[in-house]
Amino acid sequence: MSFSHLLQYDEETTDQLSENFTHIISGIGEEVEREGLIKTPVRAAKAMQFLTQGYGLDAREILRSAMFAEDYSEMVIVKDIELYSLCEHHMLPFFGKAHVAYIPDGYIVGLSKIPRVIDVFARRLQVQERLTDQVLQAIQETLQPLGVAVVIEAHHMCMMMRGVQKQNSVTTTSAFTGAFKSERTRNEFLKLITSDLS
């Protein structure tokens, strides 16, 4: 399944979600039959399926599909990976970037697979803390590297649009395994993800 386009939608799910969105629109006091809203329930139903497509995807299988034996044991970093998810508490978006590193122990993985793993878990109802840990565990369990590091920085619309309404707040979460438990290795990773090497 493509991460950029979800071309086919389950008709039964679309109908069910569309009916639910119709009730929501009516429930907030809007006129469902108004011209601008006539097709909104179906559009919203398809959007919700796209935004939660991660439930039907297997991150570990994605990684296994591009594992290569390689005698390389230095840090591999993919940084500034954009991510978009939905907060499970209010179903409002949170968005930002992820930085992922691992130290191979016999196997490397195609670099495009790491952003795909991010998407698998981000395209679900989430909390940032769990998302960080799920990415870490999928890479650790599949590649079995010497260590994995994940840092996610995100803006949460549930804080920006409602509640405390703080527009410039950024939430940062991190998780580390293996070699990244060492302060020296962890600091090297953190320095590299905050440096502009260009």
Side-chain angles (χ1 to χ4, degrees), residues 18 21 33 47 59 65 77 81 91 101 131 139 141 145 178:
S18 179
F21 277 115
E33 297 301 321
S65 73
I77 301 175
I81 304 166
M91 294 182 70
L131 172 60
I139 296 171
E141 292 171 10

Side-chain angles (χ1 to χ4, degrees), residues 32-101:
V32 180
E33 297 301 321
R34 183 163 63 77
E35 181 182 7
L37 292 173
I38 290 175
K39 295 182 180 179
T40 296
V42 172
R43 292 190 191 104
K46 291 181 176 180
M48 186 57 67
Q49 289 177 78
F50 179 85
L51 295 173
T52 59
Q53 64 182 286
Y55 288 114
L57 299 166
D58 186 334
R60 289 159 180 80
E61 183 57 37
I62 288 170
L63 290 168
R64 285 192 292 268
S65 73
M67 284 177 61
F68 307 100
E70 190 68 42
D71 185 21
Y72 183 83
S73 58
E74 300 298 326
M75 195 182 302
V76 177
I77 301 175
V78 184
K79 70 175 189 174
D80 296 331
I81 304 166
E82 63 185 65
L83 68 88
Y84 303 91
S85 191
L86 289 175
C87 164
E88 68 180 31
H89 299 141
H90 302 97
M91 294 182 70
L92 289 172
F94 67 91
F95 59 93
K97 55 188 177 181
H99 315 286
V100 178

Side-chain angles (χ1 to χ4, degrees), residues 81-163:
I81 304 166
E82 63 185 65
L83 68 88
Y84 303 91
S85 191
L86 289 175
C87 164
E88 68 180 31
H89 299 141
H90 302 97
M91 294 182 70
L92 289 172
F94 67 91
F95 59 93
K97 55 188 177 181
H99 315 286
V100 178
Y102 72 100
I103 300 175
D105 187 20
Y107 288 94
I108 60 171
V109 68
L111 294 177
S112 68
K113 304 306 178 187
I114 291 177
R116 291 192 66 189
V117 167
I118 301 286
D119 278 345
V120 166
F121 295 115
R123 298 297 189 180
R124 304 178 183 190
L125 299 183
Q126 273 290 11
V127 294
Q128 185 175 329
E129 296 88 343
R130 184 194 310 130
L131 172 60
T132 305
D133 190 59
Q134 287 176 329
V135 172
L136 179 99
Q137 294 302 327
I139 296 171
Q140 181 65 50
E141 292 171 10
T142 307
L143 297 182
Q144 297 186 6
L146 298 176
V148 181
V150 179
V151 171
I152 293 178
E153 305 168 83
H155 299 272
H156 291 250
M157 299 304 286
C158 59
M159 289 180 63
M160 298 168 70
M161 291 180 66
R162 57 163 302 284

